């Protein structure tokens, strides 16, 4: 019986050791399983965090590109505004240039008209001066004729020549006077 009792104790001890190992195993399982769950959760969080970091980097890059695009857009808007201002200024300058060209044409026309009047006046002045010369010559011939006719025996040839010259002078004066008459 002792032998049987020893076996029983050994068996009990073996059973107790097996139970202890089982309990230990269960305890380890109870400790490891939550740790495994926690590890899985941490890995998931790490993946999410990595994704968030990557997304944040992508978002920052997009923001940087967007802000650059905004700067470029603002520069383009500014350039467009400047371009529009320049177009407006060019249009104003063209209008001013056109007005100046029109004024210049008017001044040229007025100057041409004045030049034409001056030429006409100069031409008329020359004709009047010539008429004056012819009248002076006519007056001298009249005086010569008067002296010849006042003499006792006038030279008929000289009288005829002076009369012919007087007639020619009168024709020239009439022709020149006709050129001075206003033309219709």
């Amino acid at each position: 019986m002792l032998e049987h009792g020893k076996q029983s104790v050994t068996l009990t001890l073996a059973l107790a050791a097996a139970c202890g190992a089982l309990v230990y195993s269960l305890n380890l399982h109870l400790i490891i399983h939550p740790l495994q769950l926690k590890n899985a959760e941490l890995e998931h969080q790490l993946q999410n965090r990595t994704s968030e970091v990557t997304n944040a980097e992508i978002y920052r890059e997009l923001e940087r590109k967007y802000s650059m695009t905004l700067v470029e857009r603002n520069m383009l808007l500014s350039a467009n505004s400047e371009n529009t201002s320049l177009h407006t200024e060019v249009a104003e300058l063209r209008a001013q240039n056109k007005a100046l060209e029109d004024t210049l044409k008017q001044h040229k026309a007025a100057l041409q008209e004045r030049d034409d009047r001056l030429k006409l006046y100069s031409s008329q002045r020359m004709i009047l001066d010539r008429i004056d010369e012819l009248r002076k010559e006519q007056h001298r011939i009249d005086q010569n004729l008067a002296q010849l006719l006042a003499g006792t025996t006038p030279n008929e040839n000289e009288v005829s020549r002076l009369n012919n010259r007087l007639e020619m002078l009168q024709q020239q004066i009439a022709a020149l006077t006709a050129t001075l008459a206003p033309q219709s």
Side-chain angles (χ1 to χ4, degrees):
M1 250 260 103
L2 189 57
E3 198 54 46
H4 185 39
K6 271 185 179 180
Q7 279 182 350
S8 195
V9 169
T10 305
L11 206 53
T12 306
L13 282 176
L15 188 61
C19 282
L22 185 60
V23 167
Y24 180 75
S25 173
L26 278 174
N27 278 339
L28 279 180
H29 179 70
L30 290 175
I31 291 172
I32 290 175
H33 184 68
L35 288 176
Q36 286 174 334
L37 289 175
K38 185 68 174 172
N39 189 30
E41 183 182 331
L42 288 173
E43 281 184 22
H44 183 68
Q45 285 177 357
L46 179 62
Q47 286 177 347
N48 285 344
R49 182 68 183 134
T50 303
S51 177
E52 285 174 11
V53 168
T54 305
N55 287 342
E57 287 173 359
I58 291 170
Y59 182 75
R60 277 193 298 280
E61 182 65 19
L62 287 174
E63 272 185 332
R64 187 184 64 77
K65 286 181 179 178
Y66 178 72
S67 68
M68 286 178 63
T69 304
L70 283 178
V71 168
E72 290 170 355
R73 180 183 166 273
N74 288 339
M75 287 172 57
L76 286 173
L77 286 174
S78 177
N80 190 32
S81 174
E82 213 173 290
N83 196 17
T84 301
S85 295
L86 288 174
H87 278 296
T88 303
E89 193 174 326
V90 165
E92 289 172 2
L93 289 173
R94 283 186 178 149
Q96 289 175 2
N97 192 29
K98 176 75 171 109
L100 288 173
E101 285 176 357
D102 292 345
T103 303
L104 182 63
K105 285 178 186 176
Q106 291 171 355
H107 285 300
K108 280 184 178 179
L111 285 173
Q112 184 61 46
E113 186 180 325
R114 192 194 86 196
D115 285 349
D116 292 347
R117 282 196 314 261
L118 285 173
K119 285 177 186 174
L120 178 63
Y121 173 77
S122 176
S123 172
Q124 288 175 340
R125 185 72 249 156
M126 286 173 42
I127 291 171
L128 288 172
D129 289 346
R130 180 68 180 136
I131 289 173
D132 242 7
E133 290 171 15
L134 293 174
R135 284 193 177 145
K136 285 177 185 173
E137 187 179 345
Q138 187 181 23
H139 181 64
R140 278 194 311 272
I141 291 173
D142 279 342
Q143 285 178 341
N144 286 344
L145 268 174
Q147 286 175 353
L148 276 175
L149 291 175
T152 54
T153 54
N155 182 343
E156 288 295 322
N157 284 340
E158 186 63 22
V159 169
S160 174
R161 187 184 71 72
L162 289 175
N163 275 334
N164 286 342
R165 180 71 184 141
L166 266 178
E167 191 177 312
M168 188 180 73
L169 287 174
Q170 286 172 347
Q171 288 174 357
Q172 285 179 349
I173 290 171
L176 288 172
T177 305
T179 62
L180 292 176
Q183 286 145 16
S184 49

